[in-house]
Amino acid sequence: MAKRKDSKFRWTHRHLLGLRELTRQEIEFILDTARGFEQISTRSVKKIPPLRGRVVVNMFFEDSTRTRNSFTLAANRLSADVIEFTKKTSSVSKGETLLDTAKNLEAMGIDIVVIRHNAGGAPKFLSRNINACVVNAGDGFNEHPTQALLDAYTIRRQRGSLDGLKIGIVGDIAHSRVAGSGIWAMTKLGAEVTLIGPPTLMPAKVEQLPVKVSCKLDDVIEHLDVINMLRIQFERMGRNPFPSVREYSHFFGLTVERMKRAKPDIIVMHPGPINRGLEIESEVADGKNSVILQQVANGLAVRMAVLFLVNQVSVKEDKTKKI
Ligand code: NCD
């Protein structure tokens, strides 16, 4: 396991709801813990025992490819038993509430709930009403902490540290929980973050965030060390926020042409799913600066770290209660 910088530091959270509330030291501690788990994926036997006998439920009320499979694999690698729960195949489709669903699962003895929900605040609500640990896998437009942690981890693996790096987050910031967590992760770790996109896709009260804002990618691209391209989340919008997809691509798409103006070693990121040709051209998504698949690979180690840490706290607290 990676050597921790401050051996006196203790992780104390039994839930991971967001990054806004975490300190730099806590975020770094998760990333350091993940570093220790990274090499497990390279072993022939990819399993270790810390969550043996513990039950993790993956409650996904929204579609997911990367996040859900990554949490399942992370829990499996830590030897937990995993229950997969989806809205479509559960009694939620018959009208059962989130709380009733969770309480019923809890009655079966679950220890950790990983939840993705279209309502911002759903993970927090659960954490206040059930005993299991709650890990936020994306709630509405609010936060997606493990995505931002794996993004920060990926940058740290490339550059050693985020201190002083200029990071651009481009596109549909208003509807992006990836940006919602990323802003906090990146700035707390010492980066300078610029949100780039049309004014109609900027979040409300953006001036209260610790970021710069630009509505012209061409004005800032040459200064960026990292560029994180977001998907346009049409499913979260009432009406079109820009005249046409073509126009959006013209001003904000990461094209081969635009990349000529960027630093030669700029790190290109995308949380997925990618809309090739809209926010990013295929040649760039698959090009030499892209770390998109590394992000996915690193997600596994980061999610192992999160499950490991929250579980440790809950085991300790449960023991103390019994004494
Ligand atoms: C993101 C999500 O679902 O919030 N994807 C992900 O988790 N990798 C971003 C998106 O859907 O655009």
Side-chain angles (χ1 to χ4, degrees):
M1 209 157 272
K3 208 162 177 280
R4 308 257 159 77
K5 280 176 205 150
D6 176 3
S7 58
K8 284 201 209 93
F9 179 83
R10 290 282 169 269
W11 178 261
T12 54
H13 302 283
R14 66 181 285 143
H15 309 293
L16 180 72
L17 305 176
L19 301 184
R20 192 184 186 121
E21 314 298 333
L22 295 194
T23 62
R24 174 177 182 143
Q25 197 180 25
E26 287 171 331
I27 292 172
E28 284 182 334
F29 191 77
I30 301 174
L31 303 185
D32 291 344
T33 307
R35 186 77 178 90
F37 285 131
E38 195 187 296
Q39 46 84 28
I40 289 163
S41 295
T42 63
R43 293 186 191 168
S44 58
V45 178
K46 300 177 177 63
K47 222 171 196 176
I48 51 167
L51 263 71
R52 202 171 51 196
R54 307 290 281 174
V55 184
V56 176
V57 57
N58 253 343
M59 283 180 99
F60 276 64
F61 292 84
E62 278 186 356
D63 295 340
S64 168
T65 302
R66 279 150 290 271
T67 307
R68 187 181 147 123
N69 289 321
S70 180
F71 267 114
T72 303
L73 201 52
N76 282 328
R77 293 216 167 149
L78 295 169
S79 303
D81 295 321
V82 186
I83 298 174
E84 297 292 345
F85 170 99
T86 59
K87 187 178 171 183
K88 286 177 201 123
T89 55
S90 72
S91 289
V92 172
S93 64
K94 300 177 188 167
E96 191 166 27
T97 66
L98 170 62
L99 187 56
D100 282 338
T101 308
K103 288 253 184 219
N104 277 273
L105 287 167
E106 200 171 43
M108 296 179 207
I110 55 160
D111 301 294
I112 303 177
V113 178
V114 175
I115 178 171
R116 167 168 287 193
H117 202 282
N118 56 331
K124 192 170 194 170
F125 168 78
L126 263 198
S127 73
R128 289 187 173 160
N129 288 285
I130 62 172
N131 293 319
C133 305
V134 177
V135 176
N136 183 0
D139 62 330
F141 310 166
N142 186 34
E143 284 225 32
H144 190 351
T146 56
Q147 178 68 44
L149 288 167
L150 74 88
D151 290 346
Y153 185 88
T154 304
I155 300 168
R156 222 167 67 147
R157 288 293 272 131
Q158 296 276 319
R159 294 289 160 90
S161 148
L162 273 73
D163 272 313
L165 291 183
K166 291 189 167 39
I167 300 181
I169 305 181
V170 185
D172 183 5
I173 318 283
H175 302 98
S176 175
R177 52 198 175 203
V178 176
S181 285
I183 290 166
W184 299 110
M186 311 299 167
T187 53
K188 284 177 194 226
L189 294 174
E192 180 190 292
V193 173
T194 306
L195 304 181
I196 305 153
T200 46
L201 289 179
M202 283 296 156
K205 300 190 184 153
V206 68
E207 65 288 347
Q208 291 176 16
L209 296 170
V211 294
K212 293 184 171 178
V213 177
S214 168
C215 54
K216 282 208 177 115
L217 179 53
D218 285 327
D219 282 358
V220 288
I221 191 160
E222 65 199 80
H223 304 294
L224 299 177
D225 299 296
V226 178
I227 187 162
N228 195 1
M229 304 305 295
L230 301 175
R231 184 176 66 87
I232 305 289
Q233 312 210 354
F234 290 111
E235 75 278 17
R236 301 192 188 284
M237 295 173 189
R239 59 195 169 89
N240 253 359
F242 41 76
S244 76
V245 161
R246 234 180 98 156
E247 189 180 298
Y248 176 84
S249 270
H250 178 72
F251 288 107
F252 298 103
L254 195 55
T255 58
V256 173
E257 206 40 47
R258 200 160 258 137
M259 278 291 283
K260 289 182 186 155
R261 307 185 42 209
K263 290 185 181 172
D265 62 347
I266 188 171
I267 299 174
V268 174
M269 310 182 84
H270 194 304
I274 298 175
N275 286 311
R276 288 173 183 264
L278 202 172
E279 68 268 7
I280 188 165
E281 270 181 2
S282 276
E283 291 88 326
V284 182
D286 305 327
K288 70 172 178 50
N289 297 77
S290 167
V291 294
I292 295 172
L293 291 178
Q294 273 146 266
Q295 289 174 262
V296 178
N298 291 336
L300 193 54
V302 164
R303 291 183 174 115
M304 284 173 78
V306 168
L307 294 174
F308 173 81
L309 290 172
V310 295
N311 181 64
Q312 238 185 8
V313 174
S314 88
V315 169
K316 208 186 259 163
E317 283 180 2
D318 292 350
K319 266 194 200 143
T320 325
K321 268 187 224 152
K322 277 184 197 138
I323 292 169

